[in-house]
Amino acid sequence: MDALHKTFMTRKKRHINIVPFKFDTPSPDDMVTTGLKSSRNFRKVDTEVLVKDSVGVTGKEMMNNDILLTEKNTSMDPSALVQLDDGGTSSNVPSSSQNITLALDHELQHLSLESKLKNSKTNVKKTASVSHYKPEPWMLQSENQEIRNQLSLAIVGHVDSGKSTLCGRLRHALGLISKKQMHKYEKEAKEKGKGSFAYAWAMDESSDERERGITMTVAVAYFNSEKYRVVLLDSPGHKDFVPNMISGATQADAAILVVDASIGSFEAGMGVNGIGQTKEHSQLVRSFGVENLIVAVNKMDGVEYSKERFQSVKSQLGVFLRSCGYKDSSVTWVPLSAMANENLVTACSDTRLLSWYNGGCLLQAIDSLPPPRRDVSSPLRLPICDVIASHTLGQVAVCGKVESGGIRTGCKVLVMPSGDIATVKTMERDSSTCSLARAGDNVAVGLHGVDPGHIAAGGVLCHPDFPVRVACHLELKILVLEITVPILVGLEFELHIRHAKSSARLVRILSSLDQKTGRALKKAPRLLTARQAALVEVRLDREACVEEFSTLKALARVFLRSQGSTVAVGVVTRVLDRALDMG
């Protein structure tokens, strides 16, 4: 079992009450992005006043209800979004995306930096601009042409839609689960009276998951298609474990939304009596920058492979997906039955399905996904997902996804925010030793010459001469979600940036913004209410690794949380002068 798998499978399970999102408003991600230009009118702030307000502002916290902050790119104006993407070369997502980032708290043990990092001071010399960076030849040219492009696929959807069964059945059909192992799963499932869960147990390995019959953590598995080396991120569908779903889905290049075609089950996922996880997961993965979506309409055998039912599901869900920002051309619809192994890796064989469906199978749909855009020409950025224990990698080892640049054995890396220099001793990809990795690769890295206490989840490995930004004073563009109590200056909350989190305080509300155009409506409003977009300043209790949205989106998406509820989502529009942080 590889390091990435261990990262997600060894977390302590925890029940979390998640307040469902409402999706009847413009996407937060759209609102954040659109107003980038208009926000510049409020960026010229007098330094003395800024220092005074940053230190002296206090406010009565009125957020007594659960608050959890997630993130979204906000742009209802496609042209504005294109301009933003053109300015950022580090995005792994096509530049035409209209992102929404609703991210929930990971609620995992190892996401915060260790106490030793709290008071650490980063001793990094100021270097040349990133624009002066020149990638080495090995980063641009593949040294092993036989290695397929990696594609990280998040498997998401409403609880009991058949996500784990789909993953297990797919791997079994591809010959990755032996008959002996499958027989073991079937026997164990029958003994517990859950015979239909045999394929799901190929993914859900913990006793708690098998006892409850639901996925609780993100299971990681791999297989090779004709075109890709696919990383499956099987995510929990139950609303209590949405934070765990986020921990895997944030690294996805594309997603498979699994929908239960059964009468009543599909409607439950759509939220007839509230917001279902079909809707929430759809918008969440869109918020992470995922543009390309495969909708697997599962359990078609339960509705006799009815064309009318398939078209009904497609019609209802399609309208919602368009409202989330998905383009029709980027969504592929595949009717199938995971349990019956119908239309998974080979063309459909059931005459009832053949009578009206002439499209490809699920495996063909995966291969039809466009290759993810990788930024290999920018300096190394590898956000640390977790610190791991490994006999093969050595005493100090971390894992994560390379967001930009490249890394190889023997090279020096800068560990931020501690500022330590380390040497890459060894690396693994998919449990196999490798000599190099580029943007888009999930790897485990063994480090030498660094104090283990200076490394923790939330940090970033980067190029020694081009360090990641480190700051505790940020300008954010946010969208306030469904809250019942207004947000005032002085509000204390928990800010999440990738795998890092820190206590923070709202220092100033610079302006409220129009949700559709992103233009400033009112300068320095006294408070913010539900569904308002705004430009704000926040101060973190400790420094965090961060980049501006125009530079690297993966390290610019922020989620504001408090006591388990989302209060707002946003992006970092500007890293403020560190001199102001000394106030």
Side-chain angles (χ1 to χ4, degrees):
M1 187 179 299
D2 70 352
L4 181 61
H5 183 76
K6 292 177 181 178
T7 298
F8 294 118
M9 296 300 295
T10 57
R11 308 288 190 186
K12 289 187 178 179
K13 287 77 181 176
R14 190 182 308 180
H15 295 274
I16 304 162
N17 293 322
I18 303 298
V19 179
F21 292 107
K22 296 183 180 180
F23 302 111
D24 56 351
T25 59
S27 93
D29 217 46
D30 289 339
M31 278 174 277
V32 171
T33 309
T34 300
L36 274 179
K37 285 193 174 182
S38 62
S39 67
R40 292 172 185 169
N41 295 330
F42 297 93
R43 288 181 175 174
K44 296 181 180 180
V45 182
D46 184 83
T47 302
E48 294 181 1
V49 176
L50 183 60
V51 173
K52 179 179 179 181
D53 287 352
S54 299
V55 179
V57 171
T58 59
K60 184 192 297 182
E61 178 174 344
M62 300 184 67
M63 307 302 294
N64 295 325
N65 61 330
D66 286 351
I67 298 172
L68 142 250
L69 214 141
T70 59
E71 175 282 331
K72 278 185 172 185
N73 235 26
T74 62
S75 156
M76 296 302 293
D77 181 1
S79 63
L81 200 145
V82 170
Q83 291 176 1
L84 172 65
D85 280 348
D86 288 342
T89 60
S90 299
S91 173
N92 290 337
V93 188
S95 63
S96 61
S97 66
Q98 293 180 341
N99 292 1
I100 330 164
T101 304
L102 281 176
L104 303 177
D105 181 39
H106 299 127
E107 293 294 340
L108 301 177
Q109 262 186 324
H110 306 295
L111 291 185
S112 61
L113 292 175
E114 295 180 5
S115 58
K116 290 186 178 181
L117 290 179
K118 290 183 178 180
N119 299 318
S120 65
K121 298 296 181 181
T122 307
N123 298 316
V124 182
K125 295 181 179 180
K126 189 173 182 179
T127 57
S129 169
V130 173
S131 62
H132 298 156
Y133 173 77
K134 294 183 179 180
E136 298 179 49
W138 64 268
M139 297 181 184
L140 305 177
Q141 300 176 359
S142 177
E143 295 181 1
N144 188 346
Q145 299 294 338
E146 296 181 0
I147 296 179
R148 293 177 173 85
N149 287 333
Q150 179 169 294
L151 178 73
S152 296
L153 265 180
I155 314 299
V156 300
H158 192 63
V159 64
D160 291 334
S161 59
K163 298 183 296 298
S164 295
T165 297
L166 175 65
C167 292
R169 197 60 154 119
L170 183 61
R171 296 184 69 237
H172 179 259
L174 292 171
L176 299 176
I177 302 176
S178 66
K179 291 182 178 180
K180 180 179 179 181
Q181 189 65 42
M182 198 64 237
H183 177 71
K184 177 184 176 183
Y185 293 144
E186 292 172 349
K187 181 180 178 181
E188 292 174 345
K190 288 179 180 178
E191 288 176 352
K192 290 187 175 292
K194 301 178 183 291
S196 62
F197 286 73
Y199 289 104
W201 283 14
M203 302 296 294
D204 298 337
E205 298 182 346
S206 74
S207 58
D208 288 342
E209 289 178 312
R210 294 185 174 187
E211 187 65 33
R212 293 189 58 180
I214 60 174
T215 301
M216 299 167 67
T217 60
V218 177
V220 183
Y222 306 87
F223 71 85
N224 287 335
S225 69
E226 184 177 336
K227 185 177 178 181
Y228 293 115
R229 172 62 169 166
V230 179
V231 181
L232 285 178
L233 302 169
D234 180 25
S235 308
H238 196 282
K239 63 181 181 180
D240 288 351
F241 303 105
V242 169
N244 292 354
M245 168 263 185
I246 303 279
S247 68
T250 51
Q251 302 185 59
D253 300 311
I256 297 178
L257 175 64
V258 184
V259 177
D260 187 344
S262 304
I263 305 298
S265 297
F266 168 72
E267 287 74 15
M270 291 296 289
V272 174
N273 297 315
I275 299 300
Q277 297 306 297
T278 297
K279 282 188 173 181
E280 185 169 354
H281 283 204
S282 300
Q283 193 150 13
L284 281 172
V285 294
R286 187 68 182 87
S287 71
F288 305 141
V290 171
E291 280 195 323
N292 297 287
L293 186 71
I294 297 173
V295 181
V297 185
N298 192 22
K299 303 186 182 182
M300 285 294 293
D301 54 327
V303 294
E304 303 297 324
Y305 296 99
S306 167
K307 178 181 179 180
E308 290 71 24
R309 180 58 173 171
F310 176 78
Q311 291 296 343
S312 176
V313 169
K314 183 176 179 180
S315 175
Q316 294 180 58
L317 182 55
V319 171
F320 177 74
L321 293 179
R322 284 190 288 274
S323 73
C324 293
Y326 291 101
K327 296 181 179 179
D328 288 344
S329 59
S330 299
V331 179
T332 304
W333 301 81
V334 182
L336 52 84
S337 172
M339 187 60 69
N341 193 23
E342 183 65 33
N343 209 28
L344 289 183
V345 299
T346 56
C348 54
S349 57
D350 193 288
T351 54
R352 294 171 293 182
L353 186 56
L354 277 171
S355 65
W356 58 269
Y357 180 72
N358 57 6
C361 63
L362 179 63
L363 190 61
Q364 290 173 324
I366 293 173
D367 272 336
S368 69
L369 292 169
R373 184 175 136 193
R374 308 300 192 192
D375 182 18
V376 296
S377 59
S378 294
L380 171 66
R381 296 288 185 267
L382 196 165
I384 299 173
C385 175
D386 202 4
V387 179
I388 59 177
S390 172
H391 294 294
T392 57
L393 292 173
Q395 182 182 3
V396 183
V398 300
C399 66
K401 180 180 179 181
V402 182
E403 291 295 343
S404 65
I407 184 172
R408 63 176 175 176
T409 54
C411 74
K412 300 286 185 181
V413 294
L414 180 65
V415 182
M416 297 293 280
S418 68
D420 294 345
I421 295 291
T423 302
V424 177
K425 186 176 181 181
T426 183
M427 292 197 302
E428 289 184 357
R429 184 195 297 114
D430 304 348
S431 299
S432 300
T433 301
C434 62
S435 59
L436 60 88
R438 301 180 181 86
D441 291 335
N442 290 88
V443 292
V445 181
L447 300 174
H448 177 70
V450 61
D451 186 341
H454 290 175
I455 301 179
V460 176
L461 300 185
C462 47
H463 192 290
D465 298 327
F466 298 89
V468 67
R469 304 286 292 275
V470 176
C472 59
H473 195 183
L474 307 172
E475 179 187 89
L476 311 177
K477 188 156 292 186
I478 65 171
L479 176 72
V480 181
L481 300 182
E482 294 295 331
I483 59 173
T484 57
V485 181
I487 294 177
L488 297 177
V489 170
L491 170 69
E492 295 183 353
F493 54 87
E494 192 171 63
L495 186 92
H496 294 253
I497 303 176
R498 193 66 177 197
H499 303 299
K501 63 181 178 181
S502 173
S503 297
R505 182 167 59 89
L506 180 63
V507 172
R508 175 179 298 183
I509 303 175
L510 295 176
S511 67
S512 59
L513 305 173
D514 182 89
Q515 291 188 7
K516 293 183 179 181
T517 65
R519 294 180 180 177
L521 294 178
K522 182 179 181 181
K523 187 173 182 179
R526 189 174 65 87
L527 53 80
L528 297 174
T529 56
R531 303 180 186 180
Q532 278 194 299
L535 189 70
V536 302
E537 290 179 15
V538 299
R539 179 184 294 280
L540 284 62
D541 283 356
R542 63 184 178 196
E543 293 180 328
C545 298
V546 62
E547 293 283 8
E548 294 178 357
F549 189 74
S550 59
T551 302
L552 182 60
K553 296 178 182 179
L555 286 173
R557 304 186 187 279
V558 296
F559 325 126
L560 285 66
R561 304 195 53 192
S562 175
Q563 302 177 5
S565 295
T566 303
V567 54
V569 299
V571 297
V572 178
T573 52
R574 191 162 59 120
V575 176
L576 299 176
D577 188 353
R578 288 188 56 176
L580 299 178
D581 293 338
M582 302 306 294

